[in-house]
Amino acid sequence: FIKEGRAVYTTYSDAMHLKEMNPVPGIPVHRGFDWGLTPACIFSQMLPDGRWLVFDELTSDDMSVDLFFDIVADHCAKTFKKRVEFIDTGDPAGNIRSQIDKRTCFQIGASKGFNVIPGLQAPVVRLESVRKPLRTILPGGQAQFILHPRCVLLRKGFLGGYHLRRLRVTGERYADTPEKNQFSHPHDALQYTATMIFGTTVLHGPQVAGRSDNDDDA
């Protein structure tokens, strides 16, 4: 996916992180949201054994947030037959009022039954909140981060579509922030959930069971 760029997450591996699985009954489901005209939603669960299962993605193109919430609600009604506790986290920019109807993304969601809270916005914290479970190996040798193959855009993003643009200067230098493209929207949504689960650990030190291998992403 990259000819002139550097993958944001260099520790991702299909062999280690890609695996088919199903949501676990009785465990809350995290929904991470990114807004704009290309809203995205990522579905995941944090299991008691320490695994973070990312099992579904919804993406869009040129769609209102209002309609996207309806699509997410319909998807959840079809996917989860039993009552599920949802934990919704989104881009803090969703608190900015629209110039069209004066409502924020959070207010639109609330009118449809979504209790979305803002994730952490600091780019370093967002990226490290994903890098940490990617490089953490749980007791028994299993990766903490598990991605379902049906999350096509997330996977392609991990493999290089979500990248840092190479700068047109002498030497090997890259932009400080990831390139905005079709892969960045679901990855942004994933990061907001990650800050909800791992942000405190990233900010205040390790508190998650397991060990972390050395990471070369920084």
Side-chain angles (χ1 to χ4, degrees), residues 56 79 91 144 170:
D56 214 347
T79 302
D91 182 354
Q144 182 171 38
T170 302

Side-chain angles (χ1 to χ4, degrees), residues 86-164:
F86 292 106
I87 302 174
D88 297 331
T89 312
D91 182 354
N95 268 324
I96 300 175
R97 292 197 303 171
S98 166
Q99 295 181 353
I100 298 175
D101 62 5
K102 305 302 182 182
R103 293 188 300 166
T104 69
C105 295
F106 291 90
Q107 289 172 335
I108 294 171
S111 71
K112 297 174 181 290
F114 292 81
N115 181 27
V116 187
I117 61 175
L120 300 178
Q121 183 63 284
V124 172
V125 176
R126 287 169 51 190
L127 293 175
E128 185 60 23
S129 293
V130 176
R131 286 172 177 154
K132 179 172 179 55
L134 277 174
R135 66 179 181 242
T136 297
I137 305 302
L138 298 172
Q142 185 168 210
Q144 182 171 38
F145 179 87
I146 305 295
L147 180 69
H148 197 290
R150 67 170 156 257
C151 299
V152 176
L153 288 183
L154 277 180
R155 180 184 175 225
K156 289 183 177 180
F158 276 120
L159 293 174
Y162 185 56
H163 64 270
L164 303 174

Side-chain angles (χ1 to χ4, degrees), residues 30-44:
H30 287 268
R31 297 183 294 199
F33 289 92
D34 188 45
W35 317 116
L37 292 176
T38 52
C41 180
I42 302 301
F43 297 81
S44 65

Side-chain angles (χ1 to χ4, degrees), residues 4-210:
E4 294 186 6
R6 179 176 183 266
V8 172
Y9 300 116
T10 59
T11 51
Y12 173 81
S13 164
D14 271 355
M16 178 171 289
H17 300 107
L18 194 69
K19 181 180 179 180
E20 291 191 5
M21 42 55 189
N22 293 313
V24 179
I27 303 296
V29 173
H30 287 268
R31 297 183 294 199
F33 289 92
D34 188 45
W35 317 116
L37 292 176
T38 52
C41 180
I42 302 301
F43 297 81
S44 65
Q45 287 180 311
M46 189 67 197
L47 302 190
D49 65 7
R51 287 178 296 158
W52 183 26
L53 307 183
V54 180
F55 57 84
D56 214 347
E57 66 180 14
L58 287 178
T59 59
S60 64
D61 183 34
D62 194 20
M63 179 180 293
S64 71
V65 170
D66 193 306
L67 176 57
F68 188 69
F69 272 122
D70 290 340
I71 291 175
V72 173
D74 182 64
H75 177 78
C76 290
K78 293 178 179 177
T79 302
F80 305 103
K81 302 303 182 182
K82 296 183 179 180
R83 183 176 179 85
V84 176
E85 176 188 353
F86 292 106
I87 302 174
D88 297 331
T89 312
D91 182 354
N95 268 324
I96 300 175
R97 292 197 303 171
S98 166
Q99 295 181 353
I100 298 175
D101 62 5
K102 305 302 182 182
R103 293 188 300 166
T104 69
C105 295
F106 291 90
Q107 289 172 335
I108 294 171
S111 71
K112 297 174 181 290
F114 292 81
N115 181 27
V116 187
I117 61 175
L120 300 178
Q121 183 63 284
V124 172
V125 176
R126 287 169 51 190
L127 293 175
E128 185 60 23
S129 293
V130 176
R131 286 172 177 154
K132 179 172 179 55
L134 277 174
R135 66 179 181 242
T136 297
I137 305 302
L138 298 172
Q142 185 168 210
Q144 182 171 38
F145 179 87
I146 305 295
L147 180 69
H148 197 290
R150 67 170 156 257
C151 299
V152 176
L153 288 183
L154 277 180
R155 180 184 175 225
K156 289 183 177 180
F158 276 120
L159 293 174
Y162 185 56
H163 64 270
L164 303 174
R165 177 175 53 86
R166 185 167 185 170
L167 301 178
R168 297 183 180 278
V169 296
T170 302
E172 191 170 332
R173 294 179 58 191
Y174 299 90
D176 294 329
T177 57
E179 191 80 351
K180 287 295 183 183
N181 56 25
Q182 62 177 321
F183 307 108
S184 66
H185 308 299
H187 271 275
D188 285 349
L190 179 72
Q191 289 166 18
Y192 292 121
T193 289
T195 65
M196 163 68 71
I197 300 173
F198 301 104
T200 299
T201 300
V202 168
L203 289 170
H204 303 294
Q207 299 173 8
V208 177

